[in-house]
Amino acid sequence: MIIVAGAAWWWLVLVYLMFGVGIGASRPCAQVLLVNLLPKEALVAGNGAMSFIDNLAAVILPATVGVLIILWDPVWGILIDGITFFCAAIFTASLPDMEAHDSDEMLTLRAAFNGMAVICRHPTLTLGFAATLVVNVLCFPVFLVVAPYAVSARFGDAMWAICLAASGAGACIGSVVTVLAAGHQRLNGLAVISGLILSAAMVLLGIAGAAWIIVLGAVLVGFVEASWLTGWATSMQILSPQNDLGKVVAMDTFITNGAYPFIYLGSGLVAGVVGYPETLIIVAIICAMGTAGVALASALQASGSGRVPK
C-alpha cells in the first residue's frame, strides 16, 4: 500500500525492516510450536507440509498475480501480496492462546546465544549448520539477486517469472520427496547431495543457452531449498534438547538471515565487475568446494565413530 500511495523511500525501508523482524521471530516460534503439537515421528511430515504450502504460492501467484503485473502495473501485484499478509495476520490473531509455559530460566541475550553452544556440542548439528551456510546462506540469496539479471538478459523478463514458478514447483516436489525418503535421518548425505545439485543448478542458470535448461536449473534450486530446509529443520527439532530448541533455531535464524545483506551486497558488487553469468559460475565453484568440505568432514566423523556415513 505504501508503494501504491507513492510514499517516500524510507517508508519502504522501514516496512521491509519490520517484515524482516516478523520473519525472524516467526521461524523459531513455528519450529517450537510444531514440536509441541506433533510427535517426533510426524515432525518431518509437518515441516514438509509447511514447506509445500508455502512454495505452492510461488507456483500459483506468478500465474495469477503475474497477469495483473503484465496487464496493468507491478504495484498491484505488491498490493495484493500485502493484502494476503493482512488476512493471514487477522487469522493468526483469531487463534486461541496456548497455555502459558513456566520456566525458571531467565531470558537473556547470553541465554539466546547458548543455541550456538548446543549446535557445536552435537556433531550432526555442527555439520548440518556448516551445510546450511553453504546451501542456504550462500546460494539461495545469489539465486534471488544475480540469477534474475543473468536470465533476463538472455531470455527476457517473462522468463524469470517462469523460473520463479518453476522454482516453486521444484520446492513442492522437494518437500514431498524429503518426507517420503526421511531425509532428516540421513542429514549428512542430504547435505552433500543438496550441495552438488545446487552447484549444477547454478552452472545451468549461468551458461545454458536453451530456455528449458534454464527452467530446469530453477526447478533444481527450488527442489534443494525445500528438501534441505525440511530435513535441517526436522533434525534441529529432534536432536536439540527440548528446552534449548528455541535457542538453537533462533541462533540458526540469526546467523543465516544476518548474513543475507552481506551476500546480497557482495554478490551484486561481484556481478557488477565480472558479470552476472560469471558470478553464478563462481558461486557454483564455491558451493562445490564447500560441499566437498562437508563430505570430508562427514567421512572423518563416520570413521571416528566406526560407522559408514549416512
Side-chain angles (χ1 to χ4, degrees):
M1 294 180 68
I2 290 177
I3 296 178
V4 175
W9 64 268
W10 58 269
W11 275 104
L12 185 61
V13 173
L14 179 62
V15 169
Y16 268 99
L17 178 63
M18 296 171 59
F19 179 77
V21 171
I23 293 296
S26 66
R27 184 181 171 195
C29 293
Q31 298 281 354
V32 176
L33 181 62
L34 275 181
V35 173
N36 292 329
L37 294 178
L38 300 176
K40 280 192 173 183
E41 60 272 13
L43 284 175
V44 65
N47 287 307
M50 289 179 60
S51 177
F52 181 88
I53 294 173
D54 184 38
N55 288 286
L56 185 62
V59 180
I60 297 175
L61 291 180
T64 54
V65 178
V67 175
L68 294 177
I69 294 176
I70 294 173
L71 295 180
W72 287 287
D73 194 279
V75 296
W76 291 106
I78 299 174
L79 176 61
I80 293 175
D81 194 29
I83 292 175
T84 60
F85 276 105
F86 182 74
C87 294
I90 294 177
F91 174 77
T92 303
S94 64
L95 294 176
D97 294 332
M98 297 182 63
E99 295 182 2
H101 176 71
D102 296 328
S103 176
D104 296 332
E105 184 178 5
M106 293 291 293
L107 181 60
T108 63
L109 186 61
R110 175 177 295 183
F113 276 88
N114 285 341
M116 182 55 69
V118 176
I119 293 174
C120 294
R121 286 197 298 264
H122 198 291
T124 301
L125 288 179
T126 302
L127 201 63
F129 184 74
T132 297
L133 295 179
V134 176
V135 174
N136 186 24
V137 175
L138 174 64
C139 295
F140 294 156
V142 173
F143 172 72
L144 295 175
V145 172
V146 178
Y149 296 97
V151 172
S152 299
R154 283 173 287 168
F155 299 97
D157 297 337
M159 177 55 69
W160 180 243
I162 296 174
C163 286
L164 286 179
S167 177
C172 292
I173 297 172
S175 302
V176 175
V177 170
T178 304
V179 173
L180 296 179
H184 66 288
Q185 297 179 0
R186 306 168 181 84
L187 190 68
N188 293 357
L190 179 62
V192 174
I193 293 173
S194 297
L196 293 177
I197 294 177
L198 198 54
S199 298
M202 290 294 174
V203 172
L204 294 179
L205 291 169
I207 67 175
W212 70 270
I213 299 180
I214 293 291
V215 173
L216 175 61
V219 170
L220 293 177
V221 170
F223 181 91
V224 170
E225 178 184 10
S227 60
W228 172 249
L229 292 182
T230 299
W232 173 233
T234 306
S235 295
M236 284 192 292
Q237 292 166 337
I238 293 177
L239 299 177
S240 301
Q242 186 171 3
N243 291 337
D244 294 325
L245 176 59
K247 301 171 188 175
V248 170
V249 179
M251 182 52 54
D252 175 71
T253 303
F254 175 79
I255 297 296
T256 55
N257 289 11
Y260 282 170
F262 302 100
I263 301 298
Y264 290 146
L265 177 61
S267 60
L269 293 176
V270 172
V273 175
V274 304
Y276 295 103
E278 291 79 5
T279 302
L280 293 174
I281 302 302
I282 293 173
V283 171
I285 295 173
I286 296 175
C287 180
M289 294 173 59
T291 302
V294 171
L296 178 60
S298 176
L300 293 175
Q301 184 185 108
S303 63
S305 59
R307 61 182 177 83
V308 178
K310 292 183 178 181

